Amino acid sequence: MTGAVSGLQGLRAAWHAHLPHDGSIPLNQRRWITGEGSLTARLMSASSRFRVTRLAQAPQLPFADEWQALGLIRPVPAITREVLLICDEVPAVFAHTIVDPYRARRDWPFLRGLGNRPLGGALFVDPRVRRDPFQFARLSPHHPLRQALQRVLPALASVPMLPARRSVFLRGGGAMLVTEVFLPDLLQRAAPANT
């Protein structure tokens, strides 16, 4: 992250085991957020054209609410990948992934060559990958993930809250924390059944 975001490394979000009931998160959007299985597959089934745009992939310091969730004993630069998941040319999800830097090459060898391909396409076909339960949060415009998103989509700075979820994927001895921020497109785009 650049200066504005790196100055917010200590800012934390309140992550919960359940998505809080909130009138600003209607039922259709709740279905997107709490759905199991591959979010990528669900987005593909709900759009005529789906694509991934990689925004960044480089070592960065995890945010204060990330490095412990990843199981690191202290904040150290971790492989960080940020992408937009785009349905019918409308951004639907901002995804932020951090990977334990000590085990990335051995346990996540596909990550380096992923490019604009979806991460879910690699995770959900590997029987060695396990996923921990989701955690949920509501992110204000001042959270570092919102700041990163707003550099790409400045109009979202006026949205007071964006719901997010995260989970840890485990493979071998390695861990990967994937956080997904759900954008306003998914207020109206009909959520399909879990796939």
Side-chain angles (χ1 to χ4, degrees):
M1 301 284 156
T2 56
V5 176
S6 62
L8 296 170
Q9 295 289 336
L11 189 59
R12 295 176 180 266
W15 292 94
H16 304 279
H18 301 283
L19 182 64
H21 286 283
D22 184 330
S24 65
I25 305 176
L27 181 59
N28 182 69
Q29 191 179 38
R30 291 182 76 83
R31 288 184 177 134
W32 278 111
I33 299 166
T34 59
E36 295 290 334
S38 168
L39 178 60
T40 298
R42 296 174 74 225
L43 290 168
M44 291 174 74
S45 71
S47 57
S48 299
R49 184 166 184 264
F50 173 82
R51 65 184 175 91
V52 175
T53 297
R54 186 178 72 172
L55 304 172
Q57 185 166 324
Q60 297 176 1
L61 273 179
F63 301 129
D65 60 2
E66 292 182 323
W67 61 270
Q68 289 174 322
L70 197 59
L72 298 174
I73 58 173
R74 65 184 183 282
V76 295
I79 297 169
T80 304
R81 174 180 164 89
E82 293 179 342
V83 301
L84 284 174
L85 307 181
I86 300 171
C87 296
D88 302 317
E89 299 308 313
V90 180
V93 174
F94 172 68
H96 172 87
T97 301
I98 62 169
V99 180
D100 176 349
Y102 302 112
R103 302 185 191 270
R105 286 188 182 195
R106 186 183 69 206
D107 294 319
W108 310 106
F110 59 84
L111 192 62
R112 173 171 276 174
L114 205 54
N116 286 325
R117 288 176 291 140
L119 179 62
L123 293 178
F124 287 94
V125 298
D126 188 336
R128 294 171 291 179
V129 174
R130 298 186 333 270
R131 183 185 211 170
D132 283 350
F134 289 125
Q135 294 181 314
F136 304 93
R138 293 172 288 186
L139 303 184
S140 75
H142 302 294
H143 188 275
L145 287 179
R146 291 285 308 270
Q147 296 285 306
L149 173 60
Q150 287 155 204
R151 283 198 311 274
V152 181
L153 299 173
L156 291 180
S158 63
V159 179
M161 180 278 298
L162 288 176
R165 73 179 189 187
R166 71 182 188 182
S167 58
V168 174
F169 289 84
L170 303 166
R171 183 180 187 272
M176 171 186 293
L177 178 66
V178 178
T179 303
E180 295 153 331
V181 182
F182 293 79
L183 306 185
D185 176 66
L186 297 184
L187 288 166
Q188 302 298 327
R189 187 177 297 275
N194 290 340
T195 54

